[in-house]
Amino acid sequence: KSKTLDELKQSLASNGSVEQTPEAQSLRIAELCEMKDSIVNQVTQLKASMESILEQWRAYDEIYAEVSLMTTRYLYCIDQCKPSGEEASLEALKKQVKTLQ
């Protein structure tokens, strides 16, 4: 797109100082319309691409929220399953399992 715009600017700069015949002007108008169409097509493609990327970011945000929630739950469970003393008895562990169920 940048190349097309540069060509257009260069063309306008060079055409400003030279008078052209109606035929040359007609050809130049057709060329400029072609350039404009090319830019319009590129913008359309860019919009479609940006919409696709935006949808991917939305999906990422939803999945990230789910993973974050699961991580928080697992960290809570791990924290709850820690033995209270340095050495946990089998009975204390059985009691914790029953509590969690």
Side-chain angles (χ1 to χ4, degrees):
K1 183 165 60 170
S2 178
K3 182 182 175 188
T4 306
L5 288 174
D6 289 341
E7 289 174 3
L8 181 59
K9 287 177 185 177
Q10 184 180 20
S11 174
L12 288 174
S14 65
N15 289 339
S17 59
V18 179
E19 288 189 27
Q20 295 182 347
T21 63
E23 294 82 15
Q25 288 177 348
S26 177
L27 288 173
R28 185 64 188 144
I29 289 172
E31 187 179 305
L32 291 173
C33 287
E34 210 174 285
M35 287 179 176
K36 180 196 73 102
D37 291 342
S38 173
I39 291 172
V40 168
N41 288 335
Q42 289 175 7
V43 169
T44 301
Q45 290 173 353
L46 182 61
K47 281 182 181 178
S49 176
M50 292 301 292
E51 287 173 5
S52 172
I53 290 169
L54 186 59
E55 186 57 39
Q56 290 174 3
W57 274 110
R58 283 187 193 120
Y60 169 83
D61 285 342
E62 289 174 12
I63 293 169
Y64 180 83
E66 271 184 56
V67 169
S68 181
L69 180 61
M70 284 187 220
T71 303
T72 302
R73 286 179 179 165
Y74 292 134
L75 289 174
Y76 175 78
C77 289
I78 289 171
D79 188 53
Q80 294 301 310
C81 292
K82 286 183 183 175
S84 55
E86 287 188 23
E87 292 184 33
S89 68
L90 184 57
E91 290 302 318
L93 290 173
K94 285 181 181 178
K95 186 178 177 181
Q96 283 184 341
V97 168
K98 286 180 183 178
T99 304
L100 290 174
Q101 289 175 344

